[in-house]
Amino acid sequence: MAAEYTPTTGTSRRRTVLKAAGLATLAATTVVGAGDGASARPGRGHGARPDDAYDVIVVGAGFAGVAAARAVRAQGMRTLLLEARDRIGGRTWTGTFAGELVEMGGAWVHPVHTKVWHEIRSHGIPLVADDTPPDRLILPSGSGYADFDLAVAGTRLGELLTSFFAGSDSYFPRPHEPLHRADLLAGPDRLTLRDRLDQLRLGPRDEAWLNGHTATAGGSNTRGAYTALVRQLALSGDLETYNGLNAYRPVTGMGGLINAMLADQPVTVRLDSPVAAITDTGARVHVDTRGGKRYTARSVVVAVPANVWNSISFRSGLPREFAAASTAGIAVPHAKKIWMKVRGDVGRFLAQGAESGAPLIGVVPHTTLSDGSRLMIGFSVDPAFDHTSTARVQAALRTFVPQAVVERIVSQDWGGDPYARGGWSFMRPLQLTRQLRTLQQPQGRLVFAGSDIASGWSGFVDGAIESGEHAGVLALEAATRRATPARV
Ligand SMILES: Cc1cc2nc3c(=O)[nH]c(=O)nc-3n(C[C@H](O)[C@H](O)[C@H](O)COP(=O)(O)OP(=O)(O)OC[C@H]3O[C@@H](n4cnc5c(N)ncnc54)[C@H](O)[C@@H]3O)c2cc1C
């Protein structure tokens, strides 16, 4: 990472950011203990137990884990939240770059994301609308890229998406219950995005305009499921909302929001505590960290990304769907987000690459800085793209704007991150109809949670909160259940 980038890792730096956001008092009420290391100190009060026994342990402090921990602690449960990293937030990560608050992961929210919207509103966090709508649109043209009129191209892109989704209106009549009409999904859920694109038999330009959009969402068109994008449209309600989801940001960044949520309840948090093994004895669950510490609870919420489930040893066994989903991955495997400080006036351009030949498949404008340079955000799903090289990033940006000069970058490869192994969730074919139901079921005293397996906004912060809150309810039930025969 570029030295200039200041991530909000650890307590002190997080407090600095929160102070700037006027939320320091909220942070002060949150109990944060260290983890496996020799410097470990116990959480102060509020449910920390000398015998390391808890009612509920939540593994993973992303939005799902924090929502789950808050829900069970609100019911008076002795609750422990274990997090592998030195920060909370998971696939959201707020920091600063070029003097601006930047998000290395999840960033935008929309009123249709009712859970996260409610959290932002109830914590009194102001929203900012992105103040730099594009004034240029760059899309594939022949063998290269060219500027297109925003209104004209926007209309054509809308027509293309309409044909892409044609006939799918009946698939998700209750968008937050994606399997409500599972009988209708047997055929469509087999389709990749590429299968659906091929059905449309588009001309070369239309194909290139549409396949970049779908490849960005799915990681690649041969990877992502057609139904995963149809779910997003059904949740959006209409194409205009679907196209406008990246509308607002909390002024505190996602870091301020998740800290505010955590401060709602005095949950004990242990950072730097990667979990290695989880054992359900039938009466209790043991959680062993890589550092050799054992914690015990009556139920456990596993709120780590599906792509890393296979890195934890579930000694009491799990249905085969878990290993299958983790091996194939639910989150996009090579998702990279790159912030670029671009010199000079290149315009507030929005660029959409075609599925191949554009290492930066999407570029959006963010801010114009006081020196006249621009902050731009690039997305890549290309496994071969060197996102750490300013020269390579500049070369990729010049695919769209040949005169662009990239001064500095900061980037995050979520696929290369051992505690994520992927970016935003986007299911593969048949993961919805053949696996999701099982993945959402409690397994003995274990309950899984996360945006990857949300019923609603999978792939968004909203889905993480929904799934975490639901897992909290299931974990409460499991914690109060009588002992069952051992699963080991
Ligand atoms: C580049 C990018 C852009 C995105 N843009 C948006 C957006 O604009 N809007 C939006 O709503 N969503 C967006 N998303 C999606 C959103 O960020 C995620 O859906 C959401 O943050 C996932 O939350 P989660 O709690 O399910 O998982 P995570 O945030 O991944 O949390 C899981 C936690 O588990 C921890 N963990 C992993 N392994 C272990 C272990 N062994 N022991 C203990 N802890 C462990 C991790 O460190 C992590 O903190 C984006 C994602 C990415 C990557």
Side-chain angles (χ1 to χ4, degrees):
M1 284 224 172
E4 188 192 353
Y5 177 66
T6 311
T8 56
T9 57
T11 314
S12 56
R13 268 179 280 185
R14 189 174 64 249
R15 285 222 171 102
T16 307
V17 169
L18 287 176
K19 193 172 173 197
L23 287 168
T25 48
L26 290 174
T29 63
T30 302
V31 179
V32 180
D36 282 343
S39 64
R41 62 183 166 85
R44 283 170 279 126
H46 301 306
R49 304 265 300 171
D51 58 358
D52 290 331
Y54 293 85
D55 294 316
V56 180
I57 293 173
V58 178
V59 182
F63 272 90
V66 165
R70 183 181 65 168
V72 292
R73 185 67 189 87
Q75 299 304 313
M77 296 281 122
R78 295 163 299 170
T79 307
L80 175 65
L81 182 52
L82 289 175
E83 167 56 46
R85 305 174 197 266
D86 64 355
R87 63 172 181 86
I88 65 168
R91 280 173 280 174
T92 62
W93 188 13
T94 309
T96 55
F97 173 64
E100 295 288 319
L101 202 71
V102 297
E103 300 284 0
M104 302 312 297
W108 289 289
V109 297
H110 187 279
V112 286
H113 298 152
T114 52
K115 295 276 182 191
V116 70
W117 200 259
H118 168 74
E119 296 295 343
I120 290 168
R121 288 298 195 213
S122 63
H123 289 97
I125 298 174
L127 285 156
V128 278
D130 270 0
D131 57 355
T132 50
D135 58 10
R136 293 178 66 186
L137 178 61
I138 300 172
L139 292 168
S141 169
S143 57
Y145 287 87
D147 273 85
F148 287 87
D149 179 86
L150 274 158
V152 175
T155 302
R156 184 62 193 146
L157 283 167
E159 289 165 357
L160 291 170
L161 282 168
T162 301
S163 359
F164 186 77
F165 290 123
S168 66
D169 310 18
S170 57
Y171 297 171
F172 300 106
R174 297 182 189 175
H176 289 267
E177 295 174 41
L179 295 170
H180 178 65
R181 289 304 309 268
D183 56 311
L184 299 180
L185 299 177
D189 198 34
R190 292 179 177 279
L191 297 181
T192 61
L193 296 163
R194 169 48 53 208
D195 293 332
R196 178 62 186 149
L197 287 164
D198 288 347
Q199 287 176 351
L200 299 180
R201 298 177 187 281
L202 298 170
R205 196 189 77 173
D206 284 345
E207 160 71 31
W209 281 19
L210 190 53
N211 73 28
H213 170 80
T214 53
T216 309
S220 82
N221 287 317
T222 50
R223 178 199 171 275
Y226 175 53
T227 50
L229 216 51
V230 177
R231 274 176 83 185
Q232 291 186 15
L233 176 64
L235 286 157
S236 300
D238 56 52
L239 210 49
E240 192 182 343
T241 306
Y242 168 94
N243 281 324
L245 290 175
N246 295 351
Y248 304 96
R249 291 171 283 115
V251 288
T252 58
M254 286 293 179
L257 176 62
I258 196 167
N259 273 283
M261 287 173 62
L262 186 57
D264 285 344
Q265 290 292 329
V267 172
T268 302
V269 183
R270 291 192 188 279
L271 302 175
D272 300 309
S273 300
V275 166
I278 300 178
T279 312
D280 181 353
T281 69
R284 288 269 182 278
V285 187
H286 300 305
V287 178
D288 297 304
T289 68
R290 289 188 197 161
K293 191 113 182 64
R294 167 166 286 195
Y295 302 94
T296 299
R298 291 194 283 154
S299 68
V300 166
V301 175
V302 183
V304 307
N307 290 24
V308 308
W309 290 340
N310 281 350
S311 69
I312 296 175
S313 170
F314 292 95
R315 295 199 174 128
S316 21
L318 289 172
R320 59 187 162 75
E321 285 84 350
F322 285 85
S326 190
T327 302
I330 294 180
V332 166
H334 303 293
K336 302 176 180 84
K337 187 169 179 179
I338 300 126
W339 285 84
M340 299 165 282
K341 186 171 186 292
V342 183
R343 192 189 305 157
D345 193 5
V346 290
R348 295 192 304 271
F349 70 90
L350 182 72
Q352 173 71 69
E355 71 178 329
S356 57
L360 281 177
I361 197 157
V363 177
V364 294
H366 186 265
T367 313
T368 305
L369 299 172
S370 53
D371 64 0
S373 63
R374 290 188 190 281
L375 272 194
M376 311 280 301
I377 309 170
F379 292 92
S380 177
V381 292
D382 179 348
F385 182 50
D386 181 359
H387 61 101
T388 62
S389 155
T390 305
R392 296 258 162 75
V393 170
Q394 176 173 283
L397 193 66
R398 286 184 173 183
T399 311
F400 305 118
V401 179
Q403 74 276 23
V405 177
V406 176
E407 281 182 19
R408 286 199 299 284
I409 58 166
V410 61
S411 61
Q412 169 71 357
D413 173 11
W414 291 98
D417 178 328
Y419 298 121
R421 292 188 180 175
W424 52 89
S425 335
F426 197 96
M427 286 192 161
R428 288 168 174 268
L430 299 176
Q431 285 184 326
L432 173 64
T433 47
R434 297 228 176 130
Q435 296 175 353
L436 182 63
R437 218 185 285 276
T438 305
L439 304 179
Q440 292 180 332
Q441 291 298 314
Q443 302 297 324
R445 292 181 178 273
L446 310 187
V447 185
F448 286 74
S451 184
D452 303 324
I453 57 168
S455 290
W457 285 102
S458 177
F460 294 81
V461 168
D462 198 76
I465 297 173
E466 169 232 296
S467 173
E469 287 179 341
H470 185 59
V473 173
L474 297 176
L476 276 173
E477 284 170 20
T480 49
R481 198 184 303 143
R482 299 218 329 251
T484 53
R487 290 167 56 86
V488 282

